[in-house]
Amino acid sequence: MKVYLDDERTTPDGWTRTYWPEDTIALLKTGEVTHLSLDHDLGNDEHGTGYDVVLWIEEAVMTTGFIPPQEMRVHSANSSARQKMEAGIQSILRHLQKT
C-alpha cells in the first residue's frame, strides 16, 4: 500500500490518502505500507504534522523493531520542516543499516 499524507494536494493515482498523522500511523501499524509520502503542514499543527509520523516511525523502529516502508519521502513545501523530516528519515535508515 502506498500512503500519501496531505491536506491539500491531489492524491497520486494508486495511493491511499490520509489527512492526519493518527490515520497514517494506523495504516503503518498494519505492516502493509510499502511507500510513504509526507507533507508537514496539515492545516492544524495542534492536531499534528507529518513530522509526528516520522517521529513515530523512528521510535517504533528503535524500540520495537518496526519495519518501516521501503520508500519514505517528504513532499512538503515548508523547507525547514522538510529538512527536519528528511533528517529523521535518514536517522531511521542509518539505524536499520546497523542492525
Side-chain angles (χ1 to χ4, degrees):
M1 174 187 324
K2 297 178 179 181
V3 176
Y4 190 80
L5 173 63
D6 200 292
D7 63 324
E8 293 183 350
R9 292 175 186 83
T10 301
T11 307
D13 289 340
W15 290 71
T16 298
R17 171 72 162 267
T18 57
Y19 292 89
W20 299 111
E22 67 268 18
D23 301 329
T24 307
I25 291 167
L27 291 175
L28 286 165
K29 287 179 178 179
T30 69
E32 296 179 15
V33 178
T34 59
H35 295 70
L36 182 63
S37 187
L38 301 168
D39 186 19
H40 181 272
D41 302 315
L42 302 172
N44 181 351
D45 286 354
E46 290 181 18
H47 193 147
T49 68
Y51 186 57
D52 294 318
V53 176
V54 174
L55 291 175
W56 181 88
I57 294 170
E58 188 171 30
E59 181 177 348
V61 164
M62 295 186 186
T63 62
T64 68
F66 175 77
I67 305 298
Q70 63 191 25
E71 182 181 316
M72 297 180 284
R73 64 182 179 210
V74 179
H75 62 262
S76 180
N78 181 330
S79 61
S80 61
R82 171 190 280 274
Q83 289 175 351
K84 181 171 65 171
M85 292 169 70
E86 288 175 345
I89 290 170
Q90 290 307 309
S91 173
I92 293 163
L93 296 175
R94 279 192 305 274
H95 178 78
L96 290 170
Q97 288 175 348
K98 292 179 189 177
T99 58

